[in-house]
Amino acid sequence: MITEHLRQKINLLQSHIEQEDNFEDVFKGAAETYAALFGSDSHFIKILLRELANPDGKVVYLIGDLIKKSQVPHNLINMMDSAKASGKLRDINIKQALMSFITMNIGFFLMYPILKQTFDIDDFNDTVEKRKSAVVDLFLNGVLNK
């Protein structure tokens, strides 16, 4: 169930990468995809957290393998390498930047029960909607060459 759910969203993310000419729009599409994946089904988060608690488990391996075979990480790295070569990005470690972008998106959903209490979040959907653009803005303004 987890891998099939992920496969659909990975395909959506891959289509964003292939269809978008604008570097920034790729990340906006990725944020949308993460919000759709993790924001729409609280049961998915619970199952995923349970599986992540066993980092040597089969499901963790299957998820990692699915993502790697999708070529999404490879394509994002190539896209960012090209942007870096053209001077659009400053000299950054691209893999570290991508890992940060992913955790900025997913971390909110994994930590939501604590964040809800800490920041008095009343409206989950409104917060998710605002978060998508906030994460993209923070990420891009942290890596764009100015």
Side-chain angles (χ1 to χ4, degrees):
M1 179 188 101
I2 291 175
T3 55
E4 187 52 40
H5 192 66
L6 280 172
R7 186 182 327 277
Q8 294 170 9
K9 301 306 181 197
I10 289 169
N11 290 340
L12 180 61
L13 184 53
Q14 183 63 28
S15 71
H16 281 297
I17 295 169
E18 292 170 355
Q19 293 174 6
E20 296 296 342
D21 293 329
N22 184 326
F23 174 82
E24 296 174 24
D25 287 341
V26 169
F27 286 97
K28 290 176 184 174
E32 290 283 341
T33 301
Y34 289 124
L37 175 61
F38 293 98
S40 62
D41 187 356
S42 64
H43 298 295
F44 178 72
I45 292 287
K46 291 174 187 173
I47 293 168
L48 183 61
L49 282 172
R50 186 186 70 229
E51 294 302 329
L52 290 175
N54 180 11
D56 297 323
K58 183 178 180 179
V59 173
V60 171
Y61 171 80
L62 291 172
I63 292 170
D65 194 52
L66 175 68
I67 294 168
K68 189 173 186 175
K69 286 180 178 175
S70 75
Q71 294 295 305
V72 166
H74 175 75
N75 293 339
L76 286 171
I77 289 169
N78 285 344
M79 181 193 68
M80 290 184 75
D81 271 336
S82 294
K84 188 175 170 181
S86 72
K88 189 166 185 174
L89 297 183
R90 60 187 174 86
D91 188 19
I92 59 169
N93 181 314
I94 291 173
K95 285 184 182 180
Q96 289 294 331
L98 285 171
M99 286 188 275
S100 295
F101 180 75
I102 292 166
T103 55
M104 286 167 58
N105 279 281
I106 298 172
F108 169 79
F109 298 102
L110 298 177
M111 296 293 298
Y112 179 70
I114 294 169
L115 295 173
K116 178 181 179 178
Q117 181 179 348
T118 304
F119 294 103
D120 298 318
I121 298 171
D122 295 326
D123 188 335
F124 175 79
N125 293 328
D126 182 59
T127 303
V128 169
E129 195 59 36
K130 289 176 181 172
R131 182 137 181 84
K132 292 184 290 191
S133 59
V135 167
V136 172
D137 177 63
L138 180 62
F139 178 75
L140 291 177
N141 287 310
V143 299
L144 292 177
N145 197 9
K146 300 204 177 203

